[in-house]
Amino acid sequence: MTRPDPRSRDGDDDREVAERIRARRGGHLTPLDETLLHSPPVADGWNTLLGAIRTQTLLDADIRELAILRVAALNGAAYEWDAHQPVALRAGLSRHQTDALRGAAEDAAPLLTPAQRCALAYTDAMTRAVDVPDEVFDRLRSHFDDRRIVELTAVIATYNLVSRFLVALHVGSPGGPADENGAQA
């Protein structure tokens, strides 16, 4: 069961925020949104940040979704994985590539382009150790300009936030409310 229970919130003080979230999501709220709406200011800020990350960057969609899936895999965030694997497939990653992201980086690497391998190494470093070794960053710089490096860093940092929130509060876990909409953060 999701904690806190999304059905236990009042809902009177969050109508405007909920409408902004619905607008970004195409008309529906996800279990993640329902949980966030226990704190309307947090839900509103989250919606703004995720809207920017998902729709206002220049980072290629395959790189963004590769990073999101890898963070989900490393942090055990099944809900995040399930929400983003279809997006990754639409962004051009193959099922074989996405499945490989669940395992060791060295097993996934041969299936990826050089830029994707650099993004994978950067995602692993940021997620596992936070401090990124110079050699990982230098390889990243050979494929991405400063703006895209900032955007990739923001994606990885943001989806570490998302996955930790989901896992800690059991959002989308067995026994929690089902999300028939294929929700994304």
Side-chain angles (χ1 to χ4, degrees), residues 104-115:
E106 53 272 5
D107 294 338
L111 304 172
L112 304 174
T113 67

Side-chain angles (χ1 to χ4, degrees), residues 132-151:
V132 176
D134 289 340
E135 60 273 9
V136 171
F137 191 82
D138 292 344
R139 283 194 308 267
L140 189 72
R141 202 176 258 303
S142 69
H143 294 279
F144 302 97
D145 61 18
D146 287 342
R147 177 173 177 163
R148 285 169 181 82
I149 289 172
V150 167
E151 291 174 352

